[in-house]
Amino acid sequence: MRMMGALRMATAVAALLMASSAMAQDRPWPHAPVHGGSDVAGTSLSIDQLYQPQSLVGTSPEGYSWSRNGETVLFLWNDAGYSFRDVWSYSPRTGKKTQLTFLGRDSKPEAEARGISQAVMLDDGRVAFTLGGQLHVRAADGTVTRIESDKQAIRKLILSPDGKSLAFIAGNPSDARNRVTSGGVLWVRPSAASQDKAARRVAGADDPKIYIEDYQWSDDSRAIAFQQADDRAMPERDIFYHAKGEQQNNRVIRAFPGDETTRASVGHVDLASGQVRMFERPDAKHHIWGFGLSANGKRLFVSGSDMQAKEHTIYVYDVTTGARETFYQLREDKHLRPDWQVAWAPKDDGLIILTDRDGWLHLYHQRAAGQAPRQITKGEWEIASFEVDAARSQIYFTANKSYLSDRQIYRVPVSGGAVEQVSGAAAGTHEPVYAPGFRHIADWYSNDTTPPELFVIDTARPAKPAQVTKSPRPEFYTQTWANIGYAEFPSHVDGVNLLARISLPANYDPAKKYPVIVGSVYSDAVRNQWGGRRAHPTWGLDQYFVSQGYIVLNVNVRGSWGQGRDHNQTQLHSYGETDINDLESGVRFLIDKGYADPKRIGIWGSSYGGLMTIMSLSKKPGVYAAGIAGAPATNVWHAYPAQMWIMGPPDGPDMPARYEAQSALYQAKGIKDPLMIIHGTRDPVVLYSDTIALAEQMIDREQMFELVTLPGGNHAWASDNLRQTRFAFKKMAEFFDRNVKDRK
């Protein structure tokens, strides 16, 4: 059993109840929720009240960006809890927080406008930002001016290291005539108001199917390295659906396994001459996971892998000649996750590589091509991301070293040695953005009882972070929320250690056996942060379920990050098999410990989680009383080619059996218990037609199910708009109450 700070994650009911309160007490961050009396199950709010334009939990501060001198951090926020984010600034020196734009005051809350999407500080005190795909500049006096009005879909603003130029990606000139992709061309313009010249195009093609995906400046501001994608060989697919009284068409570029896919390349442009050089790789269809110019601008690394993410290769190029050398290569036939990251070591002394070559994601330093890398960090924990502080020859990184569900900030010398925790003793999730020079860290922080807030950490005195935002509405603190704790237990199939996040009613009675909802099920689903998962707006739904007397269970299934290569590799070729066994292990744990009523267990998930839901109902009859599958990935023949790193290639002697075994479409014959499917008709990720194919088969077999169709709904059907969110979540609550909670 591992420890989370001084808190032992025990399996007894009392210990789990103590876990939540201990996390709140140990946490030094202010403004913890004030829990109500123990005679209530949880929040008394309805789904309608939990999902309103003015959010009870507030608006998460996002888009952190430091000024070039490191004295100011910009962030996007709404202090009233509405969706429209304006630009704010904070000075660590003065402790002053200032709202810089007020464009949200003209936005109607019911429109759910997202507001400004990115902002960067220019050297003369002005702020460049994007709104609705258009570039604007806020002057020091607050005046806002739209610039580059002849361009659209402007994104990814980056100020040059010398502060003299602003680069950005914008849509191709032909975008308006193309319904498939917005494309992307790289532009550079002077950043100073005194040089208000039009931007010049430095890289990119007129064809919108060839587009710049990412780029970075050289340290001397004289060149830019960029990653370009070419989708010309990929198929286009029409997704027809009816909405607003007529037929619509969401035409997309979309490859299936075995189809032609994106060709990726990396280039370099010298800004003085305009000369562009593209760097060749042996196979342009292989993935690119990162690239970077050396500090002196003379070399460029490209980190990539084969289509199935089994062989990690790092090439290093001579920028002047284009000569390529294979710097690093490692093949692992069972490898599953492309979590690699690479950066130049201080003084360009080789590369820092994040890899799981020893079975866990750790840092290595390799000084020359073909040389054995030297391991910097080690242990049965994993690193999620890192950045190199070249001036001090140290590395900052986020990892779950403290506990499996945590993401804490650490630093370590490049030479190796003691690992120092920078983010303090509080349990939770940290997502850092480092200031130039690493003097401060803008920290997105959250834990199970705290919605996301911006803190600023002084790296010289990290124990006393400054809280910048307070996002929840005052009434948030008067509600009674779920008690949340963590448990570890062995898989009932192979004994591998599993981790679960368990949400209990505030008035939990150990003498009772409770109905349980497993989900939303997905990989990487167990995290100590508000709502557990950031990708889905299910925080309120989970709290609602707990308040209605359910226990909510999330399991870190195989294939997830954080528990080592051996843990996730057992998911190879195993969609709907090893993963659903892990979910069942969580159910068995709750039943064995006396938490759960074995006859009242529900399960739900969306996308891959929908696949697991349908597979669970079919393969494990009697374990679950009912299930809800949102946008279920029922047919892996229609998955993205990138997912072949789990399900394998679409050929070989074990085909088609291997794909059929991982496709719920072919495994649904055993479903006898109630099933609800929720799906949006314009979904380009998981096709609505796949749901119809499953529905036709189930009707032919006279299997009963319920289908909730969301006209024009996208893949993230719970995030399209609040009206749809409320509708779908109320349908789910009614379904589970009828088939799980009230089951006799």
Side-chain angles (χ1 to χ4, degrees):
M1 186 71 66
R2 297 177 66 186
M3 307 288 288
M4 184 171 67
L7 174 65
R8 181 180 298 275
M9 291 287 102
T11 56
V13 173
L16 265 178
L17 288 172
M18 288 165 54
S20 179
S21 61
M23 279 187 284
Q25 292 167 5
D26 290 346
R27 178 170 50 83
W29 318 93
H31 309 304
V34 178
H35 288 269
S38 61
D39 59 331
V40 293
T43 176
S44 60
L45 298 175
S46 66
I47 288 175
D48 282 339
Q49 293 170 314
L50 288 165
Y51 293 97
Q52 285 293 318
Q54 188 175 28
S55 175
L56 183 71
V57 298
T59 302
S60 170
E62 305 283 352
Y64 304 166
S65 173
W66 285 95
S67 61
R68 202 166 60 89
N69 60 12
E71 293 184 359
T72 303
V73 61
L74 300 180
F75 59 99
L76 309 176
W77 190 48
N78 189 302
D79 60 341
Y82 293 110
S83 61
F84 193 105
R85 289 181 171 90
D86 270 297
V87 182
W88 293 66
S89 69
Y90 173 77
S91 167
R93 181 176 56 82
T94 66
K96 184 179 180 181
K97 175 180 66 191
T98 306
Q99 184 171 355
L100 300 182
T101 65
F102 297 85
L103 303 177
R105 62 190 176 192
D106 299 324
S107 174
K108 295 181 179 180
E110 60 272 18
E112 302 178 45
R114 301 299 179 185
I116 294 170
S117 56
Q118 187 189 0
V120 297
M121 179 73 77
L122 306 180
D123 279 4
D124 54 8
R126 298 182 305 148
V127 174
F129 64 89
T130 54
L131 174 63
Q134 297 297 316
L135 181 60
H136 300 74
V137 171
R138 178 202 181 270
D141 63 0
T143 304
V144 172
T145 304
R146 177 180 165 187
I147 60 175
E148 303 292 350
S149 58
D150 61 329
K151 301 173 182 65
Q152 56 188 325
I154 294 176
R155 57 200 182 273
K156 201 168 182 63
L157 311 177
I158 304 180
L159 188 66
S160 62
D162 64 8
K164 296 179 180 179
S165 300
L166 179 69
F168 58 88
I169 298 173
N172 301 67
S174 58
D175 282 352
R177 302 188 300 274
N178 190 284
R179 298 177 298 162
V180 178
T181 178
S182 63
V185 172
L186 182 60
W187 302 82
V188 173
R189 59 169 290 121
S191 64
S194 60
Q195 300 180 19
D196 195 12
K197 302 175 182 177
R200 63 187 179 106
R201 177 173 172 166
V202 299
D206 288 334
D207 190 329
K209 292 185 180 180
I210 304 174
Y211 51 95
I212 307 298
E213 287 191 297
D214 197 7
Y215 69 95
Q216 61 177 251
W217 285 92
S218 64
D219 282 3
D220 62 7
S221 304
R222 295 178 179 179
I224 294 177
F226 59 90
Q227 180 177 336
Q228 182 171 275
D230 184 346
D231 289 346
R232 288 176 296 178
M234 290 176 65
E236 295 181 15
R237 288 188 159 88
D238 293 316
I239 301 176
F240 294 108
Y241 63 98
H242 281 82
K244 300 180 180 179
E246 60 184 10
Q247 180 174 278
Q248 311 279 345
N249 183 12
N250 180 22
R251 175 172 255 206
V252 295
I253 294 175
R254 180 70 163 82
F256 295 153
D259 286 344
E260 287 292 331
T261 188
T262 300
R263 284 166 166 77
S265 58
V266 172
H268 174 277
V269 56
D270 179 270
L271 296 178
S273 66
Q275 181 180 357
V276 174
R277 176 186 290 278
M278 303 302 296
F279 300 95
E280 298 298 325
R281 296 185 302 142
D283 192 333
K285 290 189 289 186
H286 282 183
H287 297 294
I288 293 176
W289 302 113
F291 63 97
L293 283 167
S294 58
N296 63 17
K298 295 180 178 181
R299 291 187 293 167
L300 171 77
F301 77 77
V302 177
S303 172
S305 76
D306 62 304
M307 290 293 292
Q308 297 180 54
K310 302 297 180 277
E311 186 170 83
H312 180 206
T313 303
I314 305 172
Y315 297 116
V316 171
Y317 297 85
D318 183 291
V319 169
T320 302
T321 66
R324 181 186 75 224
E325 66 177 350
T326 301
F327 191 92
Y328 170 94
Q329 193 166 56
L330 181 68
R331 181 171 183 85
E332 169 56 57
D333 288 336
K334 294 183 179 180
H335 198 271
L336 217 66
R337 295 179 59 102
D339 293 315
W340 308 294
Q341 186 184 338
V342 181
W344 287 98
K347 300 180 181 179
D348 295 337
D349 184 22
L351 298 175
I352 305 297
I353 305 170
L354 175 63
T355 174
D356 57 354
R357 60 184 293 125
D358 79 335
W360 301 81
L361 282 162
H362 279 289
L363 296 169
Y364 293 78
H365 181 199
Q366 182 171 324
R367 302 184 68 182
Q371 186 183 77
R374 174 182 58 83
Q375 191 163 2
I376 300 172
T377 60
K378 190 174 185 179
E380 293 187 357
W381 45 274
E382 295 205 305
I383 294 175
S385 63
F386 74 91
E387 286 196 30
V388 178
D389 178 359
R392 296 170 183 81
S393 196
Q394 59 186 358
I395 305 170
Y396 283 81
F397 62 89
T398 56
N400 63 352
K401 186 176 184 294
S402 58
Y403 189 67
L404 292 173
S405 60
D406 276 4
R407 302 293 185 274
Q408 300 283 358
I409 307 171
Y410 302 87
R411 60 188 169 196
V412 65
V414 171
S415 59
V419 171
E420 178 189 1
Q421 185 168 329
V422 178
S423 50
T429 293
H430 299 261
E431 295 182 8
V433 175
Y434 303 99
F438 292 84
R439 181 70 175 82
H440 290 94
I441 302 172
D443 182 20
W444 184 98
Y445 172 76
S446 177
N447 68 19
D448 290 322
T449 59
T450 307
E453 301 287 15
L454 167 60
F455 287 80
V456 170
I457 299 173
D458 183 332
T459 57
R461 296 184 295 275
K464 296 182 178 180
Q467 181 169 355
V468 179
T469 61
K470 183 179 179 181
S471 299
R473 307 304 303 151
E475 53 268 33
F476 171 86
Y477 302 103
T478 67
Q479 294 297 316
T480 300
W481 302 104
N483 278 303
I484 298 171
Y486 296 84
E488 296 180 43
F489 48 86
S491 161
H492 74 283
V493 175
D494 58 13
V496 167
N497 187 58
L498 299 172
L499 174 71
R501 182 179 190 264
I502 303 172
S503 302
L504 300 178
N507 64 346
Y508 182 85
D509 182 353
K512 293 173 56 178
K513 296 185 185 297
Y514 284 75
V516 174
I517 293 176
V518 183
S520 106
V521 296
Y522 210 81
S523 57
D524 301 319
V526 176
R527 183 79 70 87
N528 187 346
Q529 63 186 19
W530 180 256
R533 286 184 63 204
R534 193 172 176 184
H536 274 260
T538 52
W539 66 268
L541 181 65
D542 289 349
Q543 292 287 348
Y544 176 80
F545 281 143
V546 172
S547 75
Q548 298 302 304
Y550 291 93
I551 292 174
V552 173
L553 170 71
N554 299 98
V555 179
N556 203 47
V557 298
R558 242 69 72 90
S560 296
W561 178 91
Q563 291 186 252
R565 192 172 64 192
D566 290 344
H567 185 276
N568 68 54
Q569 282 186 356
T570 50
Q571 181 62 9
L572 183 66
H573 299 173
S574 191
Y575 276 136
E577 184 61 33
T578 303
D579 43 16
I580 67 172
N581 287 335
D582 292 346
L583 298 175
E584 183 184 2
S585 295
V587 171
R588 289 181 177 223
F589 170 79
L590 288 183
I591 293 172
D592 290 346
K593 296 302 178 183
Y595 295 76
D597 181 344
K599 295 181 179 180
R600 295 190 295 163
I601 310 291
I603 182 172
W604 87 276
S606 192
S607 191
Y608 166 46
L611 178 155
M612 284 193 282
T613 296
I614 294 175
M615 291 288 211
S616 294
L617 291 181
S618 181
K619 294 183 177 183
K620 301 182 179 297
V623 173
Y624 301 98
I628 299 174
T634 57
N635 187 355
V636 300
W637 268 283
H638 291 169
Y640 282 103
Q643 291 171 265
M644 290 191 299
W645 60 62
I646 292 179
M647 64 197 189
D651 52 30
D654 58 349
M655 287 290 285
R658 174 166 35 85
Y659 271 23
E660 289 182 359
Q662 297 177 85
S663 296
L665 180 66
Y666 298 94
Q667 302 296 324
K669 298 181 180 64
I671 296 178
K672 297 179 180 179
D673 295 309
L675 167 67
M676 172 182 281
I677 300 174
I678 303 176
H679 207 159
T681 56
R682 74 182 299 263
D683 187 346
V685 178
V686 174
L687 306 183
Y688 182 75
S689 58
D690 284 346
T691 283
I692 296 304
L694 175 64
E696 289 175 336
Q697 290 189 11
M698 294 185 69
I699 291 170
D700 285 344
R701 294 191 293 260
E702 299 188 34
Q703 294 172 285
M704 302 306 293
F705 66 97
E706 299 178 29
L707 175 60
V708 178
T709 294
L710 303 175
N714 216 323
H715 186 60
W717 50 271
S719 303
D720 284 344
N721 58 74
L722 286 173
R723 297 175 299 284
Q724 184 170 290
T725 300
R726 291 191 293 262
F727 170 81
F729 284 176
K730 283 189 279 187
K731 293 290 288 186
M732 293 174 63
E734 186 277 332
F735 179 84
F736 277 139
D737 284 351
R738 172 164 40 95
N739 293 292
V740 177
K741 183 180 179 183
D742 298 333
R743 183 178 180 181
K744 303 299 183 183

